[in-house]
């Protein structure tokens, strides 16, 4: 074991989480007000039944889709306009959905479970293929940690409520360790990176492109990725009310996203350059990220939804969510 996590990091983390919650609530309230004002303005100006797809997105594939404008072009004949709001994390997007500020967005496996446990009207509209190599545990280059067993009693940092929390739970279980056998250090990626660089934590569980950046710029050693442990899909979500009235719109959105995925799978060098510009990262980082990614997006089926059910069951057993969930209601109507 190394030294305990410095007190100033613990204090800063608590303060950061408190401030993040306050900022998040203010942001969601502002978005809700903006969305209502936009909707009212459109109604007064157009006096029609024109529809709007309000997309919430994180920097990434949806940013590329936004930049190309192909979604707007395909939806225009249906009388549908598109608005875009950028978020820095999935949980904030889900809160925006919960207050009716957006209709569609992208998120990882775990955040929807916490949102649904809190009563969010979330519906899964689409899912990527499994991408287990895009999340992993890294340790310092000269670390004595060589196996999962070596993580016992060590300080393991990760973003609470994210995909990697589920990865950690299943990884420990698979290797005969209890969830409580490691020290859980909850830090968002920027803070975890700083702690990793200073040697204040023993291991960091993180996803791409943060993972690739740590390997390229911090000389982090990859202990193991999620292959054979969890699938690590990304999801596209909507609300039950929106899908009941706009299944045709969602079908087009999923098709457009899949088109970006298909293009990237065949043009990784060009995709890495475009993603590098979107994320503000060196191209060598996005190339590493894309070269280990799998591509493809499709509507959610019962087998994929069962994967989410297993995550929900795991979180309930670990007392990370307050109630047991039945996710069957989260499946959307057939998008074709």
């Amino acid at each position: 074991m190394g030294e305990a996590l410095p007190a100033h990091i613990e204090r800063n983390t608590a303060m950061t989480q408190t401030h993040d919650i306050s900022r998040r609530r203010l942001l969601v309230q502002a978005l809700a007000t903006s969305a209502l004002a936009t909707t009212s303005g459109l109604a007064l100006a157009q006096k029609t039944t024109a529809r709007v797809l309000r997309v919430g997105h994180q920097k990434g594939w949806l940013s590329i889709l936004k930049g190309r404008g192909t979604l707007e072009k395909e939806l225009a004949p249906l009388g549908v306009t598109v608005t875009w709001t950028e978020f820095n994390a999935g949980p904030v997007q889900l809160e925006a959905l919960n207050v009716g500020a957006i209709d569609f967005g992208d998120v990882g496996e775990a955040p929807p479970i916490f949102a649904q446990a809190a009563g969010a009207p979330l519906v899964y509209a689409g899912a990527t293929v499994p991408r287990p190599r895009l999340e992993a545990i890294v340790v310092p280059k000269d670390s004595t940690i060589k196996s999962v067993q070596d993580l016992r009693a060590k300080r393991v940092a990760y973003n609470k409520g994210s995909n990697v929390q589920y990865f950690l739970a299943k990884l420990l279980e698979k290797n005969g360790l209890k969830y409580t056998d490691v020290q859980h250090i909850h830090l968002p990626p920027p803070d975890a990176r700083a702690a990793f660089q200073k040697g204040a934590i023993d291991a960091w569980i993180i996803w791409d492109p943060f993972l690739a950046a740590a390997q390229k710029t911090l000389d982090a050693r990859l202990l193991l990725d999620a292959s054979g442990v969890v699938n690590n899909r990304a999801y596209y979500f909507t609300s039950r009310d929106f899908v009941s009235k706009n299944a045709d719109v969602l079908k087009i959105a999923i098709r457009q996203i899949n088109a970006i995925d298909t293009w990237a799978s065949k043009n990784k060098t060009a995709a890495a350059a475009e993603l590098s510009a979107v994320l503000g990262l060196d191209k060598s980082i996005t190339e590493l990220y894309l070269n280990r990614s799998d591509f493809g997006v499709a509507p959610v089926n019962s087998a994929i939804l069962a994967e989410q059910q297993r995550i929900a069951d795991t979180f309930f057993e670990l007392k990370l969510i307050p109630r047991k969930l039945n996710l069957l209601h989260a499946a959307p109507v057939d998008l074709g």
Side-chain angles (χ1 to χ4, degrees):
M1 291 178 59
E3 298 179 1
L5 190 70
H8 75 277
I9 291 183
E10 294 184 345
R11 290 196 301 272
N12 290 344
T13 300
M15 292 173 64
T16 298
Q17 292 174 340
T18 301
H19 292 163
D20 283 348
I21 291 172
S22 298
R23 288 196 300 269
R24 184 182 301 170
R25 288 174 177 167
L26 288 172
L27 172 61
V28 170
Q29 289 172 358
L31 284 169
T33 301
S34 176
L36 288 173
T38 300
T39 302
S40 299
L42 286 170
L44 290 173
Q46 299 175 4
K47 295 183 179 180
T48 68
T49 57
R51 292 181 290 172
V52 179
L53 173 63
R54 300 168 299 167
V55 181
H57 69 106
Q58 301 174 61
K59 285 184 182 295
W61 293 130
L62 288 185
S63 302
I64 294 175
L65 180 62
K66 175 188 176 183
R68 294 186 176 184
T70 55
L71 179 60
E72 286 86 345
K73 290 178 182 177
E74 189 169 355
L75 289 176
L78 300 180
V80 179
T81 56
V82 183
T83 64
W84 299 83
T85 302
E86 186 177 298
F87 295 85
N88 61 4
V92 190
Q93 286 177 266
L94 293 170
E95 289 186 29
L97 177 81
N98 200 28
V99 299
I102 63 173
D103 308 305
F104 183 79
D106 58 334
V107 74
E109 291 175 322
I113 302 301
F114 291 99
Q116 288 167 286
L122 182 147
V123 174
Y124 297 94
T128 68
V129 298
R131 304 180 304 176
R133 293 181 296 169
L134 298 189
E135 61 180 4
I137 300 180
V138 293
V139 296
K141 182 180 179 181
D142 58 354
S143 172
T144 59
I145 297 174
K146 306 296 182 183
S147 69
V148 176
Q149 292 293 334
D150 293 336
L151 293 173
R152 188 187 297 272
K154 295 296 192 296
R155 301 161 300 182
V156 181
Y158 60 89
N159 194 51
K160 185 178 182 181
S162 66
N163 289 14
V164 292
Q165 186 167 14
Y166 179 61
F167 171 34
L168 175 61
K170 301 310 287 187
L171 181 68
L172 294 174
E173 177 185 301
K174 183 176 181 179
N175 287 272
L177 296 176
K178 297 178 182 178
Y179 190 71
T180 53
D181 281 341
V182 302
Q183 295 184 52
H184 296 262
I185 309 298
H186 299 151
L187 294 172
D191 292 343
R193 179 185 169 91
F196 184 90
Q197 194 167 14
K198 294 176 182 177
I201 55 177
D202 300 303
W204 180 21
I205 311 183
I206 190 59
W207 59 88
D208 272 319
F210 298 106
L211 171 59
Q215 290 178 274
K216 287 289 186 180
T217 63
L218 299 181
D219 208 14
R221 172 163 57 86
L222 196 151
L223 184 65
L224 77 171
D225 62 33
S227 298
V229 183
V230 297
N231 277 334
N232 187 39
R233 296 181 191 268
Y235 286 89
Y236 296 93
F237 63 84
T238 187
S239 67
R240 170 59 61 187
D241 180 64
F242 189 82
V243 75
S244 68
K245 303 171 184 175
N246 300 280
D248 57 336
V249 174
L250 294 170
K251 179 179 178 180
I252 290 172
I254 295 301
R255 185 168 65 237
Q256 283 285 339
I257 294 168
N258 188 54
I260 295 290
D261 253 44
T262 301
W263 169 80
S265 69
K266 299 176 181 178
N267 301 274
K268 290 186 179 179
T269 300
E274 193 162 349
L275 194 59
S276 171
V278 168
L279 299 175
L281 296 173
D282 188 86
K283 186 181 174 183
S284 65
I285 294 174
T286 54
E287 284 179 330
L288 178 58
Y289 163 23
L290 292 183
N291 282 334
R292 60 186 169 208
S293 181
D294 295 294
F295 300 88
V297 178
V300 173
N301 57 30
S302 58
I304 294 176
L305 200 60
E307 293 178 18
Q308 286 297 95
Q309 183 65 58
R310 288 192 287 274
I311 297 175
D313 292 344
T314 297
F315 284 171
F316 178 71
E317 291 165 7
L318 293 173
K319 295 181 172 52
L320 298 177
I321 58 175
R323 62 190 180 90
K324 192 172 180 63
L325 297 178
N326 181 345
L327 301 186
L328 295 179
H329 71 283
V333 295
D334 183 17
L335 297 182

